[in-house]
Amino acid sequence: MRAMRIVGPGKPLELHDLPIPKPSGVEVVIKVEACGVCHTDLHFVTSQILGARYPFTPGHEISGIIHDVGQNVKDFKIGERVIVYPHFGCEVCKQCLRGFPNHCENPPLLGFIMDGGYAEYVLIPHFKYLIKVSDSDPDEAAVLTCSALTAYSALKEAGLENDDLLVIIGVGGLGTMAVQLAKKLTGVTVVAMDIDEKKLSLALRMGADYVLNPSKEDPIKFIKTISENGAGADAVIDFVNNSETAEIAFKMLRTRGRHVFTGMYGGTLTIPLTQMAISGIKLVSGKIGRPGDLRELVSLYKRGLIKPFISKKFRLEDANKALEELKAGEILGRAVLKP
Ligand SMILES: [Zn+2]
Ligand SMILES: [Zn+2]
């Protein structure tokens, strides 16, 4: 089978020919129909990753058809269309035992330590990570597993009340999904913030009430102007999460505001401690959701309440091009690879 593999940090992916994996026990082999191209993949390609064993196949937003099953697999049959919950836990750390494999302290990550979906076939270590999606569109279903799941989890962490003002910073793949989910599932007013006008018009199409371009107007002043008594936002989800956006997010918040950190750009935030003591502000991590959250999302998707926006499809061998376009900020919504 063909696979696009990471051969070392900073090097382009290489097309390799590998044997199709053979499942045993509770393992399943999936013929990949679509694999989402995620910023995490970009991070794995460009940076030296502690613990990575080169070469490896990235890709963790997978949909496909079951190709083969181990002898102890139950409830799943060859030929069924499935998606894969990507954040496999170790099953023995405190967080896994408490039902939070998304916060596993020793995660054997799909598309990192384990070979992922930038390939024609992928081995999944346990059938419990699969969810059937039957006749759903495989491209849309694939991106439910990470970009939509992270957006959904971030919204839950934002602890929204229906009269809240929510600011979503960065409306790429995750941000557009968060706009849709917030408008479909809650009564909140949504402000989408981005420096890219194309992304802002997409956010409006997805249901945002306001759009805000911080390169054109002062974002904090804007939020004060539209919020009740100039008090500020009830919650901000930062899908960029660099020093600049984190500071803007923090300054936008009103009393009892929630600041959800989701993006992976990185940097630092200086926090005024007295304000923290008296404001009731909460700082929370908005990491990818739990397996149960993915089941909820699939249910919302199957009922037509949400629809991931797929703007581009690439052939497997064009994975480097897909990653370059993602890096350059040229992908609206999400791109998928079609092995
Ligand atoms: Zn991802
Ligand atoms: Zn664990």
Side-chain angles (χ1 to χ4, degrees):
M1 67 158 186
R2 296 172 316 137
M4 286 297 280
R5 311 199 89 199
I6 298 178
V7 294
K11 295 192 180 140
L13 301 186
E14 283 180 10
L15 185 65
H16 289 185
D17 195 23
L18 303 169
I20 297 174
K22 190 81 196 134
S24 68
V26 293
E27 295 170 344
V28 176
V29 170
I30 292 169
K31 183 169 193 330
V32 180
E33 288 187 288
C35 185
V37 181
C38 181
H39 271 102
T40 310
D41 305 333
L42 199 55
H43 182 61
F44 289 163
V45 171
T46 52
S47 313
Q48 174 74 52
I49 306 294
L50 201 67
R53 285 176 293 233
Y54 298 103
F56 67 92
T57 310
H60 54 271
E61 303 187 0
I62 298 168
S63 70
I65 302 291
I66 295 181
H67 170 75
D68 200 358
V69 294
Q71 65 278 17
N72 298 330
V73 170
K74 296 185 187 75
D75 303 329
F76 289 91
K77 293 186 195 70
I78 290 169
E80 286 183 306
R81 177 172 288 140
V82 292
I83 56 174
V84 183
Y85 174 78
H87 211 287
F88 309 157
C90 71
E91 306 193 7
V92 294
C93 76
K94 176 173 178 177
Q95 312 313 334
C96 282
L97 291 172
R98 292 281 179 176
F100 291 88
N102 53 330
H103 287 293
C104 174
E105 287 163 344
N106 327 284
L109 281 176
L110 177 64
F112 167 36
I113 303 285
M114 303 181 73
D115 282 333
Y118 282 27
E120 288 174 306
Y121 297 87
V122 61
L123 177 83
I124 304 301
H126 200 296
F127 64 90
K128 72 179 181 181
Y129 297 115
L130 306 180
I131 297 179
K132 293 179 195 183
V133 290
S134 57
D135 51 2
S136 301
D137 177 89
D139 304 345
E140 292 176 356
V143 309
L144 292 175
T145 62
C146 173
S147 86
L149 183 58
T150 304
Y152 189 50
S153 168
L155 280 172
K156 284 191 169 186
E157 296 295 347
L160 299 170
E161 290 162 351
N162 288 317
D163 58 347
D164 277 354
L165 178 65
L166 167 68
V167 181
I168 291 171
I169 299 181
V171 278
L174 281 77
T176 47
M177 208 62 237
V179 172
Q180 275 191 54
L181 284 162
K183 292 307 294 182
K184 290 285 180 181
L185 304 179
T186 77
V188 303
T189 302
V190 172
V191 182
M193 176 175 132
D194 205 294
I195 48 172
D196 183 333
E197 287 292 330
K198 270 190 275 173
K199 290 181 179 170
L200 291 178
S201 38
L202 179 61
L204 279 177
R205 270 195 278 150
M206 297 289 168
D209 298 281
Y210 298 91
V211 290
L212 163 59
N213 185 337
S215 65
K216 291 191 174 161
E217 55 193 320
D218 181 337
I220 295 152
K221 215 185 262 176
F222 179 91
I223 295 302
K224 301 273 177 198
T225 310
I226 64 163
S227 61
E228 183 188 39
N229 302 325
D234 296 280
V236 182
I237 302 175
D238 189 353
F239 288 109
V240 180
N241 198 24
N242 61 23
S243 304
E244 202 181 344
T245 60
E247 190 184 336
I248 292 170
F250 188 81
K251 287 184 174 163
M252 280 176 174
L253 289 172
R254 72 188 288 175
T255 301
R256 286 182 57 245
R258 284 83 61 196
H259 183 161
V260 186
F261 300 78
T262 292
M264 298 287 276
Y265 279 85
T268 51
L269 172 65
T270 304
I271 293 167
L273 297 177
T274 313
Q275 190 188 343
M276 280 308 289
I278 59 175
S279 65
I281 284 175
K282 287 200 174 85
L283 307 181
V284 282
S285 148
K287 205 180 173 190
I288 192 167
R290 303 159 76 182
D293 297 325
L294 184 55
R295 297 183 67 90
E296 289 176 31
L297 263 184
V298 169
S299 163
L300 292 169
Y301 170 69
K302 283 186 173 170
R303 284 179 284 146
L305 284 156
I306 51 164
K307 189 172 169 63
F309 182 76
I310 311 292
S311 64
K312 279 200 164 172
K313 300 175 188 189
F314 292 87
R315 296 181 312 163
L316 179 64
E317 48 272 45
D318 294 330
N320 286 308
K321 188 168 185 290
L323 289 164
E324 276 160 28
E325 290 191 16
L326 182 69
K327 193 177 181 184
E330 289 165 6
I331 305 284
L332 277 180
R334 211 36 150 199
V336 292
L337 293 183
K338 301 286 289 176

